[in-house]
Amino acid sequence: MKKYRLNSLFLVIIFIISFANYTNADTLADVMQARGLTEKDVLAAAKTYVPTGKRDKFIAFDSGGQSGQVIVFGIPSMRILKYIAVFTPEPWQGYGYDDESKAVLSQGRIQGKDITWGDTHHPALSETDGEYDGKFLFINDKANPRIALIDLNDFETKQIVVNPVFKSSHGGAFVSENTDYVMESAQYATPFENEYVPLEQFNEKYRGGMTYWRFNREEGRIKPEESFTVMAPPYSQDLSDFGKGPSADWSFTNSFCSERYVGGIELGKPPFEAGCSAKDTDFLHVVNWRKAAEIVKAGKVTKINGHDVITMETAVAEGILFLIPEPKSPHGVDVTPDGKYIVVSGKLDTHTSVYDFEKIQKAIAEKKFEAKDSYGIPIIAMPDTLHTQVELGLGPLHTQYGARPCEAFTSLYVDSMVARWDYCEGKLLDKISIHYNIGHLMTMHGDSKNPRGKYLIAMNKLAIDRFNPVGPLHPQNHQLIDISGEKMELLYDMPIPLGEPHYSVAISADLLKPVVRYKVGWNSREDKRSEYGVRAGREHTDKQPGKVEVFGTVIRSHITPEIIEVNQGDEVIIHLTNLERAQDETHGFALYGQNVNLSIEPGKTASYRFIADKPGVYPYYCTEFCSALHLEMQGYLLVKPKDYKEVAQKSEAGFVYSKSDYDEQVKKNIATQAVIDEVVNFITARNYQDFPAAVALVEDTTDQLNFAKEVQAKAEAAATKEDWQNAMLWASQWWQYQVKAADIGLRAKTYLEQEGAKVVQ
Ligand code: RUQ
Ligand code: CUA
């Protein structure tokens, strides 16, 4: 059996080598004909195909909609790289299954209740001076107004903050030019206090607003105690955007249903949708957030639920909140890269309006207002602030920017099209059909001061007939569009089978530099050494009455300890540290009947606690296929019944080995070592040190060979004592380490061959 394993390893390698040399007889023309592909199709394929081993130029972060997660994919290949668990437990990442991540999820409790999902809408990348810096990602939950913080150092969720006054929030997350604040606006107006207030008091007691979450970059955390909310009328505040450059101190927030209509079909009243779209205009909220922050510092706030709120009265008195009419039921509000204009589209109006920040400032400075709303907020007349209005098509929603001067792209929901236009001249340039009903759209670095152009992704709400049918619930459809030429060209359809991704942001891949391993014994959620981490050889189990605490480790291919004995009723706490230094050697940990799966990436320490309330035998194992002996990476938790009386047990060996078994094994080990030596010679004869990935593999191989040496000594010691049973078992373990060394060594060799490493001698 074991012999077969080594042989099969080499067979696979030979197979791979011979397969690579095999040339397919088909020509491109044959394939095109057989598959019915046009030249345009093949060109699109060539523009998106990323050959094996090559990487994407841009990395996109999609909101995962109702899945409460974030989807990471590459552009132009549109290959999904990861789902980042954010608001929803996700077992592959151990998220919501280990103590460390449970602590993050529990920060998101709403009024004491666990919320195990999210409706993620808008991701935002951290910015430095208006440019994406690749450090952090923020995303909001609409259903339960929360913001999550993801650290792009390891693509893990580190913090969840709950909005203390809102009961829903669509318009988040947006970041200020230097990420000192992350913004979120209310959607459905509610009382700020957590109290019952009859709907009859909607105008007086229900409120909207904009929350500015303070972000501390050094700590890498949002600071709730330094955050504040500017209260606003119950106008259903929607999307927002921070200004840039000249407008950097300001923020802009749309609203709909400024009619303040309250439906009630069952009471015989016309529905919300009728009453909420009766007026021709709604309001753009213009806020001087920089000044608002100073007002908060000066203490001119009202505490609501322990949170600093600037009331509308204060906001008006201090001159930080203004309204400007905007076309009916607007949705997106997007500040141009130069910060000079604010683009707003009304879903129920064919116009896209371009507001001029300078004109807005002029009106404010001259106190030129056309009226005040019923809450005393000054309204600036629309014509006094408009730069231009453009007729783009039906149902304009969101706008993103391209790399060319004044280049904008707007999604047309009703038309199912993307419009390319010039916001300076107010001129439509090009249109392309998408499939179907586009919501957001996204360009590379599209929210930054410096959009990169090249690609656009149309984030379509409906897929309808685009993919093989999979039942009534269809995937969403992202369409990749080439915007590098004069005409937009559709390149690729990507199904998204995980919630409705509302919005996405994409960053140049070279700006992301995540770690490949943690320092050994790391609590990744708190970004510090775990007090439960242990190094190799330091594993131990602490037993106290009623409590068993295991400080264990995992490394190919064993879990230490392999046997855990506890008494019924004990609290069992298991901490496991992954000792691997190799890249991509994650181990898992699953235990029968306990709803646990840990994901223990190299260096990480993860913990799990439970009460062993039922006596029995509970196997545990590693859930990642980590090595040829992954299946053997196992152990037993034994829970002894309360009244259990120890009796002496005698265990019989499953198999009895002799001297000849041992000799046979040693012969095999020596032969294996010869193979390993050859691989090692190949590597060391080349400039492998010039390839960090190869260096890491070599380090790992050396580790495994050192382990092999350690157990070889044990085998030989047992053999001198003629303890053939243990000699054979240790010799077999020696061989296991050799196989692992060979596996990694061969990976390094293949890598060096592919990268064209040179002989150095
Ligand atoms: S959304 S389709 Cu941002 Cu939730 Cu506009
Ligand atoms: Cu570790 Cu499988």
Side-chain angles (χ1 to χ4, degrees), residues 121-122 170 239 331 397-398 439-440 461 502:
H121 273 245
H122 307 97
H170 179 243
L239 289 183
H331 191 38
L397 293 182
H398 298 284
H440 276 275
K461 299 295 183 189
H502 292 259

Side-chain angles (χ1 to χ4, degrees), residues 252-283:
F252 309 91
T253 300
N254 270 330
S255 66
F256 62 89
C257 203
S258 58
E259 293 87 348
R260 293 178 292 161
Y261 180 72
V262 179
I265 271 199
E266 48 296 296
L267 306 173
K269 289 169 77 180
F272 272 108
E273 58 181 319
C276 281
S277 55
K279 271 200 323 170
D280 272 346
T281 54
D282 285 294
F283 287 122

